[in-house]
Amino acid sequence: MRLILLGPPGAGKGTQAQRLVEKYHIVQLSTGDMLRAAVAAGTPVGLKAKEIMARGELVPDEVVVAIIADRIEKPDARNGFILDGFPRTVPQAEALDRLLRERGLRLDAAVELKVDEAILLGRVERRVAEMKARGEAARADDNPESLKKRLEAYRAQTAPLVRFYADQGLLRSVDGMASIDEVTAAIGRVLSEGASRAPTAS
Ligand code: ADP
């Protein structure tokens, strides 16, 4: 099983990815987590990405494509993977198509979590407040200004992927405003419907 999770920041991609990992015994590949690890470790990629990420902008395509190209080669990804936060631009999606084609692999589905943006800001603000109350450091980009940038980047650069995958017949949209369990159940349903369905309009 090879899946993509699409949705704006705070949509619940990470939460659902973890559940899919258990259900399908595949690995979760989160470019955000990998980049944050690179920043923490101070690697050349991390140094390059640090300020860009803090501002809520996207790191260059070639950086994340190289990371993913390496990562899907690892033995633990042989069984399948769920991409969380990648691709985020049309050129990244095209690069992914090439990477998979070269290896004789294909995607099973691109799952879109549809959410109301007005509620996302509240979700992230609440998470930051809770972390602060516990004395934990918030993510450098979990502030209202960077979140606004992240949403803008999503709208301008990532949302076009909904059409991109609909055109390939791979798009499966679910209501991301329902409870965590309900969203998980809805994803299970759309995935069991199979990938041969006609493209959905959206
Ligand atoms: P969220 O989905 O909450 O915005 P992520 O953890 O997926 O958070 O990503 C955090 C940041 O990492 C992004 O705002 C961006 O700067 C960088 N990033 C992650 N994945 C990509 C990607 N595929 N392309 C470009 N930048 C990325």
Side-chain angles (χ1 to χ4, degrees):
M1 179 78 87
R2 285 174 217 91
L3 300 173
I4 288 173
L5 276 184
L6 281 176
K13 298 187 297 288
T15 304
Q16 295 301 329
Q18 283 169 15
R19 290 174 167 219
L20 290 162
V21 162
E22 284 170 28
K23 182 165 178 185
Y24 295 106
H25 307 290
I26 54 182
V27 287
Q28 173 190 4
L29 307 183
S30 159
T31 41
D33 286 349
M34 293 181 219
L35 289 168
R36 277 186 289 277
V39 169
T43 66
V45 163
L47 294 176
K48 197 167 173 179
K50 187 175 182 191
E51 298 303 325
I52 300 173
M53 291 174 73
R55 286 197 299 272
E57 294 166 10
L58 296 185
V59 306
D61 288 338
E62 61 271 21
V63 172
V64 286
V65 168
I67 291 176
I68 287 293
D70 276 353
R71 190 61 188 81
I72 64 175
E73 287 292 315
K74 299 267 160 69
D76 65 350
R78 207 170 291 148
N79 211 14
F81 46 76
I82 174 149
L83 296 173
D84 162 11
F86 181 94
R88 243 181 172 90
T89 65
V90 170
Q92 288 180 22
E94 289 167 348
L96 176 63
D97 275 356
R98 272 196 304 279
L99 283 174
L100 294 175
R101 206 176 318 122
E102 284 163 12
R103 290 163 179 77
L105 303 173
R106 59 175 191 82
L107 290 172
D108 292 278
V111 176
E112 179 199 15
L113 298 178
K114 288 177 94 80
V115 289
D116 175 352
E117 278 192 16
I119 282 170
L120 293 179
L121 185 61
R123 274 192 192 176
V124 174
E125 281 174 345
R126 201 163 45 244
R127 183 169 73 199
V128 171
E130 285 166 3
M131 288 180 79
K132 267 201 189 133
R134 288 196 300 266
E136 294 169 16
R139 250 171 67 169
D141 60 352
D142 264 354
N143 59 76
E145 200 180 314
S146 296
L147 181 66
K148 197 166 157 260
K149 277 268 184 61
R150 282 153 63 200
L151 283 171
E152 280 165 15
Y154 181 79
R155 264 185 237 122
Q157 295 172 272
T158 310
L161 295 182
V162 169
R163 170 55 51 200
F164 182 92
Y165 288 113
D167 287 346
Q168 293 192 9
L170 291 174
L171 185 71
R172 305 288 178 268
S173 297
V174 304
D175 174 14
M177 300 304 293
S179 72
I180 292 175
D181 285 344
E182 282 165 349
V183 175
T184 304
I187 294 174
R189 280 196 298 276
V190 294
L191 292 180
S192 66
E193 279 167 14
S196 58
R197 222 178 53 178
T200 38
S202 84

